[in-house]
Amino acid sequence: MIDGKKVLFSGMQATGNLTLGNYLGALKNWLTLSDEYECFYSVVDLHSITVRQEPAELRKRARNLLTLYVAAGLDPKKNCIYYQSHVPGHAQLSWILNCYTYMGELNRMTQFKDKSSRHADNINAGLFTYPVLMAADILLFQADVVPVGKDQLQHLELTRDVAQRFNSIYGDVFTVPEPYIGKTGAKIMSLQEPTKKMSKSDENPNASILLMDDPDTIIRKFKRAVTDSEACICYREEQPGIKNLLDIYCTCSNKTVEEAVREFEGKGYGEFKLAVGESVVSVLKPIQDEFARLSKDKTYIDEIIKENAQKANYFANKTLRKVQKKVGFPEQIR
Ligand code: TYM
């Protein structure tokens, strides 16, 4: 609790171009929850280097991501928006938690298996212990809730296990966090292979909608989206393409699946795809415009970076000191 409010933590990697999946699965929910909770939103650049990065490019992407958080509507006066690398406590707590996490647990992580098969030439120890750093991110701020897409649920489960294990040894040190998953949009699928997650690393450009795609590109990609020959706009597993488009439409237009299915009853796929594309444009265009405006305001963004890093460090150090004491490190002499 901070000032009587429960705490929320979440983060995104600044690797590759962000997709509509990142927005609908995570960022959109951050906006909805930001009044209710004391929020920490990190640009998790420590996580990014588990895969080889071009330094200048990483720096640029990280800044763009931080600017995007603000452009999407997160008020930097109310929400703590910061770079993970500006808060040393993440790495410090991560080391400690490494000693309370089992190899067997990390071996089971599907994201590790997936990433190590895609980056077979660089299966580094950081990639393996990545979920421990993620647990440290969350536990450092004593977060009650963590809004994420479905693909992060396994990491959240591990975070809870590590927190409970630590608490069972040392008493109530960590808040055990709950995941927050949206009713729709928690797993946006590829537009070309709708049984696969929409991902920033997809090589087929038509598979993903990028947050910075212009309106024409967005509409074109939706027109090309893979569907089926059922000629029915129904929400069911047997029609993964249509189901995914309905998910996207409902999340963008804040409608329920029932409302959307009723709206498109008897209509053709062409008309439906266009409506989905338009609903996405109406959500992304204002964010893109605000992003373009904010990107030019260097002083404003720098100020946010500086102030929020101080705030994040203050809360992170509180937890870190407590943990260090519990495990038996000597107090610092000031
Ligand atoms: P990342 O950067 O891959 O994704 C950021 C967020 O976007 C969600 N997401 C999706 N949601 C729905 N459909 C999709 N196709 C889709 N693709 C991505 C992800 O679930 C995530 O919520 N390890 C995390 C970053 C992280 C983190 C944290 C998150 C580091 N520390 C602490 C929460 C709390 C990651 O790589 O997310």
Side-chain angles (χ1 to χ4, degrees):
M1 286 277 200
I2 297 177
D3 293 339
K5 273 185 169 180
K6 286 191 169 179
V7 177
L8 179 156
F9 182 93
S10 203
M12 266 191 213
Q13 291 203 62
T15 16
N17 290 308
L18 289 203
T19 71
L20 184 62
N22 295 123
Y23 179 75
L24 297 182
L27 195 47
K28 189 166 186 284
N29 294 328
W30 298 4
L31 295 165
T32 323
L33 299 168
S34 80
D35 278 342
E36 198 183 325
Y37 292 89
E38 182 72 33
C39 301
F40 294 86
Y41 296 116
S42 187
V43 171
V44 293
D45 44 4
L46 298 187
H47 282 86
S48 298
I49 63 163
T50 50
V51 172
R52 218 42 98 228
Q53 302 292 333
E54 208 283 294
E57 189 61 23
L58 175 60
R59 215 172 345 260
K60 192 170 109 198
R61 287 202 161 129
R63 188 169 173 107
N64 283 347
L65 181 56
L66 190 136
T67 308
L68 185 80
Y69 286 0
V70 186
L74 293 173
D75 179 347
K77 289 271 173 239
K78 289 199 205 136
N79 302 283
C80 188
I81 294 171
Y82 72 98
Y83 292 125
Q84 188 185 27
S85 60
H86 284 185
V87 178
H90 285 275
Q92 290 169 285
L93 183 60
S94 180
W95 171 255
I96 295 174
L97 296 183
N98 264 317
C99 304
Y100 295 83
T101 309
Y102 298 116
M103 299 283 283
E105 289 177 307
L106 295 176
N107 262 325
R108 282 199 292 275
M109 297 291 119
T110 51
Q111 193 159 312
F112 170 70
K113 289 185 208 163
D114 173 48
K115 281 202 179 170
S116 49
S117 68
R118 278 192 285 121
H119 302 276
D121 54 336
N122 182 23
I123 307 177
N124 59 69
L127 198 60
F128 187 63
T129 58
Y130 176 116
V132 184
L133 178 58
M134 182 159 160
D137 299 341
I138 297 165
L139 302 180
L140 194 56
F141 291 94
Q142 306 286 2
D144 296 277
V145 70
V146 184
V148 282
K150 267 192 189 146
D151 61 332
Q152 296 299 320
L153 274 182
Q154 197 186 30
H155 291 161
L156 246 292
E157 212 34 66
L158 178 77
T159 304
R160 290 171 53 86
D161 290 345
V162 173
Q164 276 158 349
R165 181 172 308 141
F166 199 92
N167 286 352
S168 72
I169 306 172
Y170 300 106
D172 269 348
V173 179
F174 294 124
T175 304
V176 180
E178 294 287 340
Y180 178 98
I181 304 277
K183 281 200 185 68
T184 55
K187 192 164 185 190
I188 301 296
M189 311 306 272
S190 152
L191 297 187
Q192 293 299 313
E193 284 174 77
T195 49
K196 227 177 78 182
K197 186 184 84 164
M198 184 182 284
S199 158
K200 37 195 168 193
S201 51
D202 204 309
E203 277 162 22
N204 182 346
N206 288 322
S208 320
I209 300 292
L210 305 183
L211 290 193
M212 290 300 150
D213 276 346
D214 61 61
D216 287 348
T217 309
I218 295 174
I219 300 291
R220 182 168 39 79
K221 286 183 180 176
F222 276 107
K223 280 188 181 161
R224 289 185 187 167
V226 168
T227 50
D228 51 55
S229 52
E230 301 277 323
C232 167
I233 299 172
C234 307
Y235 193 80
R236 50 193 192 130
E237 299 301 331
E238 300 78 35
Q239 291 181 261
I242 294 293
K243 180 171 181 279
N244 187 38
L245 293 177
L246 276 168
D247 254 330
I248 295 175
Y249 181 74
C250 290
T251 321
C252 286
S253 56
N254 295 318
K255 288 180 184 164
T256 63
V257 172
E258 294 73 35
E259 283 168 343
V261 167
R262 222 175 302 127
E263 188 180 341
F264 292 105
E265 212 179 314
K267 302 236 165 89
Y269 282 179
E271 191 178 335
F272 172 52
K273 285 180 179 182
L274 184 63
V276 181
E278 282 168 352
S279 75
V280 171
V281 170
S282 72
V283 169
L284 295 189
K285 183 75 173 57
I287 300 175
Q288 294 172 353
D289 293 346
E290 183 61 0
F291 175 83
R293 192 184 72 76
L294 285 173
S295 301
K296 291 188 204 120
D297 198 343
K298 183 171 182 309
T299 325
Y300 177 60
I301 299 294
D302 283 349
E303 199 57 36
I304 293 173
I305 292 171
K306 191 172 137 202
E307 276 180 15
N308 283 311
Q310 280 166 0
K311 179 173 170 187
N313 271 304
Y314 171 79
F315 287 105
N317 286 336
K318 267 175 110 164
T319 304
L320 192 64
R321 276 199 295 274
K322 193 167 161 189
V323 173
Q324 286 171 331
K325 196 167 164 197
K326 290 283 182 189
V327 297
F329 295 165
E331 269 194 57
Q332 290 196 25
I333 297 166
R334 292 171 200 280

